Amino acid sequence: MQKILILTFILISSISFSQTDSLRVLFLGNSYTSVNNLPIIVEELANYSNRNVHTELHTPGGHTLEQHSINESSLLKIRKGDWDFVVLQEQSQIPTIDFHKENSMYPAARRLNDSIKKYNPCAKTLFYMTWGRRFGGQQCDDSGVYCSPDFVDFTHMQDSLESAYWGITQELNALVAPVGIAWKKVINENETILHAVDNSHPNYSGTYLAACVFHSMMWNIYSFENSFIGNLDEEMAQLLQSTADSIVFHSYNNWNLHISQVNSDFSFEVFNDFVQFNNLSECIQPMIYHWDFDDGEYSSEENPSHNYQNNQTYEVKLISQYCENIDTAIYDVFIDVNTDVERLIPDESIFLSPNPFQNQLNIQFNNAVNYQIDLINDLGNIIHSIDGKQEKLIHFPTEKLSNGIYFVRITNQETKRISTCKILKSKI
């Protein structure tokens, strides 16, 4: 069996996210997104790489995902549709406080993701992993009732944020932009200050680093040597660009960048002129399937079966598609109708093979109906029974039977029609 993967000019590469040079991105967050105008920097990085990003945002100060999930302005923007990415940024302390993570952040994230998928079936939910406070410390809600651990430093708090974002993105099969992890690398390795004077919000360098992470993820391209450097000097800009690239691409699968990739594949079983196909394609659901059986017949079923008319090799194609992501698998299927096939009478839609048989007896049903199948010895005793349960192809194990004459009795459970065939087990 030979498998060939085909990518034509209309197909994207296996790790590409967009067929066009234009993206539409909605940012839902708070001041961590709006300070230094993160969306505009994302747009500028795209412009300088000959691409275009149209961004919209709704970022009320201090807003949580729970508040966004009931905020009519946020929901209207989601319902507007036609987004390629919807970026969700939680309030910076919520993920580190277990009570609010479980009872506010995660439920709200689920609701928002459901809404995104409802109104934008091909949009990618992208969580914006933020960063810890510059000096750590204990984080409490306004009531002071629910608090985080007393973080000893930035890294300690950052580890807690990573865990929280990782958990929800794995559950929802969503993407996560590892901005906080990029911050941690720059701070720990270069002692660069990315926080503003409040030790919480980003300074321009911090926002620029975040924008580079988004740029690398959204386009699946490197940010390094992008000529847009804002108000940074070239050395600092290249440090932040290269850090973003190293974080995004070194641990590619950690951010779920692979989830919308399509890997088209299938297996099949041949029973004379009848073939049962088993779809093995991998991607997030739902996918669209197009089967070409190479005899002028097609199917959009997930796991189709097909009858061929001639003995020859057929080049069967399966095209699997998720939104703009497409992959094609091709296998050669050889049809050689055996002469030892027994057509059961009076029900001509049932076939039995081989006869004589050895270690396995195959029964094919062209019509998906519930059947009771009895194997009977020459004394009239039922020695094995199977409920067909609308299966089209059944492998009847016979390796423990002694050689001799047997009968197969098949009862249509709906019409009560009975078909019987004499068969022979032989070692030859």
Side-chain angles (χ1 to χ4, degrees):
M1 241 180 356
Q2 180 185 17
K3 179 187 177 186
I4 307 171
L5 295 181
I6 304 296
L7 291 178
T8 69
F9 71 93
I10 64 170
L11 307 184
I12 62 170
S13 70
S14 63
I15 58 175
S16 175
F17 287 115
S18 177
Q19 288 178 289
T20 70
D21 289 329
S22 181
L23 292 175
R24 291 174 49 81
V25 182
L26 172 62
F27 286 86
L28 299 179
N30 50 52
S31 58
Y32 270 39
T33 296
S34 61
V35 165
N36 304 311
N37 209 333
L38 169 65
I40 291 299
I41 299 178
V42 172
E43 289 186 6
E44 291 292 350
L45 288 168
N47 289 338
Y48 277 73
S49 60
N50 297 316
R51 291 168 169 82
N52 176 65
V53 176
H54 167 76
T55 64
E56 292 187 24
L57 67 159
H58 187 54
T59 56
H63 234 47
T64 65
L65 291 184
E66 183 173 16
Q67 289 172 313
H68 277 295
S69 73
I70 58 174
N71 185 304
E72 192 60 28
S73 294
S74 301
L75 296 177
L76 282 173
K77 286 185 177 295
I78 291 174
R79 293 170 191 154
K80 184 177 179 179
D82 199 27
W83 301 112
D84 295 293
F85 293 91
V86 178
V87 178
L88 302 180
Q89 180 243 311
E90 180 59 280
Q91 192 273 345
S92 59
Q93 297 161 296
I94 292 293
T96 68
I97 303 171
D98 284 345
F99 177 84
H100 291 301
K101 178 185 72 176
E102 297 295 337
N103 295 284
S104 175
M105 176 185 177
Y106 282 11
R110 296 179 187 114
R111 293 194 298 272
L112 287 166
N113 184 67
D114 287 345
S115 184
I116 291 165
K117 296 306 180 185
K118 178 179 180 180
Y119 294 100
N120 307 262
C122 291
K124 300 171 183 67
T125 302
L126 175 54
F127 284 90
Y128 177 2
M129 180 197 293
T130 55
W131 49 86
R133 297 292 199 268
R134 184 178 179 188
F135 302 110
Q138 189 175 49
Q139 312 300 313
C140 297
D141 61 19
D142 291 339
S143 70
V145 175
Y146 298 104
C147 297
S148 74
D150 188 5
F151 299 114
V152 298
D153 57 14
F154 164 83
T155 299
H156 190 197
M157 183 173 177
Q158 181 56 41
D159 290 344
S160 179
L161 286 163
E162 291 173 24
S163 176
Y165 276 100
W166 176 254
I168 192 61
T169 54
Q170 289 301 104
E171 176 189 330
L172 298 180
N173 277 328
L175 282 68
V176 57
V179 174
I181 298 176
W183 270 52
K184 183 168 63 175
K185 181 176 176 65
V186 171
I187 290 172
N188 290 343
E189 295 182 5
N190 300 277
E191 298 183 353
T192 301
I193 297 175
L194 300 176
H195 292 85
V197 294
D198 65 357
N199 299 318
S200 171
H201 287 81
N203 61 22
Y204 187 85
S205 294
T207 299
Y208 183 87
L209 176 56
C212 288
V213 171
F214 281 110
H215 179 72
S216 296
M217 290 195 64
M218 290 176 178
W219 295 105
N220 195 42
I221 61 174
Y222 289 101
S223 293
F224 186 65
E225 294 188 341
N226 189 295
S227 56
F228 175 74
I229 63 175
N231 63 17
L232 302 174
D233 61 52
E234 185 173 352
E235 182 179 0
M236 176 58 71
Q238 290 192 353
L239 168 65
L240 301 177
Q241 292 169 358
S242 62
T243 299
D245 291 339
S246 67
I247 295 299
V248 170
F249 297 111
H250 180 70
S251 303
Y252 192 83
N253 288 345
N254 287 353
W255 327 128
N256 283 345
L257 284 164
H258 62 290
I259 60 173
S260 60
Q261 299 170 22
V262 176
N263 178 27
S264 187
D265 195 12
F266 64 93
S267 63
F268 57 89
E269 291 183 275
V270 179
F271 176 69
N272 295 292
D273 61 346
F274 176 86
V275 183
Q276 179 64 52
F277 294 95
N278 179 31
N279 197 326
L280 303 175
S281 300
E282 295 180 346
C283 185
I284 55 177
Q285 297 293 329
M287 281 193 283
I288 297 172
Y289 304 107
H290 176 76
W291 294 86
D292 181 347
F293 300 118
D294 195 30
D295 65 349
E297 298 293 329
Y298 307 91
S299 175
S300 60
E301 295 180 30
E302 182 173 358
N303 298 292
S305 57
H306 189 65
N307 283 93
Y308 285 96
Q309 301 301 315
N310 301 309
N311 289 0
Q312 66 181 68
T313 299
Y314 294 89
E315 190 177 78
V316 178
K317 300 178 184 178
L318 168 60
I319 301 174
S320 303
Q321 179 175 2
Y322 171 74
C323 295
E324 76 276 16
N325 298 345
I326 306 171
D327 192 26
T328 302
I330 301 177
Y331 283 102
D332 290 336
V333 177
F334 179 64
I335 301 299
D336 183 16
V337 178
N338 297 326
T339 58
D340 59 357
V341 176
E342 184 77 29
R343 184 183 296 270
L344 298 184
I345 303 296
D347 190 343
E348 296 186 347
S349 65
I350 304 173
F351 298 84
L352 181 149
S353 173
N355 189 14
F357 64 95
Q358 295 181 38
N359 294 327
Q360 181 170 278
L361 184 65
N362 302 306
I363 303 174
Q364 171 200 338
F365 303 88
N366 282 359
N367 298 320
V369 180
N370 284 332
Y371 291 94
Q372 175 69 37
I373 307 162
D374 299 313
L375 182 63
I376 303 171
N377 62 19
D378 58 353
L379 298 177
N381 300 318
I382 297 176
I383 57 177
H384 196 68
S385 295
I386 293 179
D387 184 355
K389 295 182 179 179
Q390 297 190 344
E391 297 180 36
K392 287 191 174 183
L393 181 62
I394 292 177
H395 302 300
F396 207 106
T398 60
E399 64 271 10
K400 295 183 179 180
L401 297 180
S402 58
N403 294 333
I405 296 174
Y406 297 87
F407 297 87
V408 172
R409 182 175 64 198
I410 301 177
T411 304
N412 186 317
Q413 300 286 53
E414 298 177 5
T415 66
K416 303 305 180 183
R417 169 183 277 183
I418 297 175
S419 299
T420 304
C421 179
K422 182 170 71 173
I423 56 177
L424 173 67
K425 179 169 184 182
S426 172
K427 62 182 178 182
I428 299 176

